Amino acid sequence: MNIHREGNIYKVESASKKGRFYTVDVAQRTCDCPAFRFRYQKRGLLCKHLEAAIDYDEEFGHERYQKVIDLVRKEGPINTVTILEMFDEDTVNELIQKGELIEERGKLRILD
Ligand SMILES: [Zn+2]
């Protein structure tokens, strides 16, 4: 299944219509495919696009987070600008929101 991340949302390709991509928001648990909007959402079920995006997010989200954390742990407090040049802003912001990293005076460090 073709899937890619655009900021905080995912584009997941339809299995039956090649080239047709649905917009999936993992945090909000929504998809704009007809099956989800007209059937699954009311029953609290996930469509296959949402399932695929959640799996992808868990697999690659952890990988991206771990790279940032490993670097900060190795280097100690590191300039936020340096990190943002190496990784995407969403990843760094998500880590701060999750309480894994803390930013102080323009530097990031591990929150122990
Ligand atoms: Zn869907």
Side-chain angles (χ1 to χ4, degrees), residues 32-97:
D32 67 354
C33 74
F36 183 76
R37 285 185 295 140
F38 299 121
R39 294 202 303 270
Y40 298 150
Q41 190 166 26
K42 286 184 206 123
R43 293 188 233 152
L45 301 172
L46 303 175
C47 63
K48 55 194 167 192
H49 316 112
L50 253 167
E51 283 175 352
I54 291 166
D55 285 349
Y56 186 96
D57 195 57
E58 281 173 1
E59 189 174 340
F60 294 100
H62 288 166
E63 212 170 273
R64 282 183 293 120
Y65 291 150
Q66 203 54 51
K67 280 183 191 163
V68 178
I69 288 171
D70 287 348
L71 181 73
V72 178
R73 183 163 281 138
K74 186 166 149 255
E75 302 287 326
I78 185 167
N79 277 322
T80 306
V81 176
T82 309
I83 289 280
L84 290 176
E85 280 168 359
M86 299 169 72
F87 300 96
D88 68 290
E89 198 173 342
D90 286 337
T91 303
V92 177
N93 284 337
E94 283 159 22
L95 281 167
I96 293 170
Q97 279 166 19

